[in-house]
Amino acid sequence: MNDEYRIEVDTGSGGYGFTDTLAELLADVKFVYGKKEVEKVSIWTKSSKEGDEYVSEDKRMHIWNIGKS
């Protein structure tokens, strides 16, 4: 699976976004949200297709599957 993902996080006082490989995405999610959210995102990535979006429960993190690199 060579999909890339766009992650955007609203920190409350701004925000940031990155385009990541799967490994980088999971590391970013773990840093910001912890292991429990990594498990949810990991499950989502296995079934997501290009254009699909994941939104965290607090609505501050959005992830899009942007397809193959």
Side-chain angles (χ1 to χ4, degrees), residues 1-7 19-22 25 44-45 48-53 63-69:
M1 177 183 276
N2 295 327
D3 287 355
E4 289 190 340
Y5 301 89
R6 176 74 185 166
I7 180 173
T19 299
D20 287 339
T21 63
L22 179 58
L25 172 70
W44 173 80
T45 61
S48 73
K49 305 288 185 236
E50 185 173 349
D52 288 352
E53 179 181 11
I63 302 169
W64 292 270
N65 181 329
I66 58 174
K68 306 276 185 235
S69 56

Side-chain angles (χ1 to χ4, degrees), residues 35-46:
K35 190 174 183 178
K36 187 174 182 179
E37 193 71 20
V38 168
E39 292 171 9
K40 293 178 188 177
V41 171
S42 181
I43 291 167
W44 173 80
T45 61
K46 291 176 184 171

Side-chain angles (χ1 to χ4, degrees), residues 12-36:
S13 61
Y16 61 89
F18 298 104
T19 299
D20 287 339
T21 63
L22 179 58
E24 293 167 333
L25 172 70
L26 296 177
D28 288 342
V29 171
K30 184 176 182 182
F31 178 74
V32 176
Y33 279 88
K35 190 174 183 178
K36 187 174 182 179

